Amino acid sequence: MFSGIDSKLPLMILGIPGSVKDVKTLEKSLTELDIKNAILILDRGFISEDILPLFDERRINYVQPLRRNSNFYQVRIHFTKRFSYHDRFIHCGKR
């Protein structure tokens, strides 16, 4: 499901047979909606180095939790910021 930042209303709800973790499904959805200048909040199943250039090309920012064994952890991320979630502060960083 994709929803608008301002309206909070759904932009697209699409039932997809098979594995929802398939990165190709995300790529196809982004192309169908012609999404640009957006923020995507993804789950761990959608990370792939193949899709990151598409995000950069379309100027899409994203929040992506990583698996514990992710190769991205080889580069240290300094936790310089924080945000509140369910009345708790979460430390975060940006790379």
Side-chain angles (χ1 to χ4, degrees), residues 16-26 45-46:
I16 301 168
S19 175
V20 183
K21 294 181 180 181
D22 187 6
V23 176
K24 293 290 182 190
T25 303
L26 176 61
F46 286 103

Side-chain angles (χ1 to χ4, degrees), residues 1-2 12 16 19-33 35 40-43 45-48 51 54-55 60 62 64:
M1 180 171 101
F2 292 92
M12 176 179 164
I16 301 168
S19 175
V20 183
K21 294 181 180 181
D22 187 6
V23 176
K24 293 290 182 190
T25 303
L26 176 61
E27 186 176 350
K28 184 177 182 209
S29 298
L30 292 174
T31 302
E32 284 181 22
L33 286 175
I35 293 177
L40 294 180
I41 300 174
L42 306 164
D43 71 12
F46 286 103
I47 191 66
S48 168
I51 202 160
L54 178 64
F55 290 165
I60 295 174
Y62 57 96
Q64 174 69 58

Side-chain angles (χ1 to χ4, degrees), residues 25-89:
T25 303
L26 176 61
E27 186 176 350
K28 184 177 182 209
S29 298
L30 292 174
T31 302
E32 284 181 22
L33 286 175
D34 193 29
I35 293 177
K36 294 180 179 150
N37 296 322
I39 301 170
L40 294 180
I41 300 174
L42 306 164
D43 71 12
R44 290 181 296 196
F46 286 103
I47 191 66
S48 168
E49 289 193 37
D50 297 338
I51 202 160
L52 297 180
L54 178 64
F55 290 165
D56 290 339
E57 173 187 313
R58 293 174 178 249
R59 303 178 78 199
I60 295 174
N61 293 308
Y62 57 96
V63 175
Q64 174 69 58
L66 298 174
R67 295 183 174 113
R68 291 180 187 260
N69 63 351
S70 172
N71 291 333
F72 288 105
Y73 288 128
Q74 293 175 0
V75 176
R76 183 174 174 88
I77 298 173
H78 297 282
F79 297 130
T80 57
K81 305 215 183 260
R82 65 182 183 188
F83 63 93
S84 176
Y85 179 73
H86 289 288
D87 297 324
R88 295 178 59 194
F89 281 115

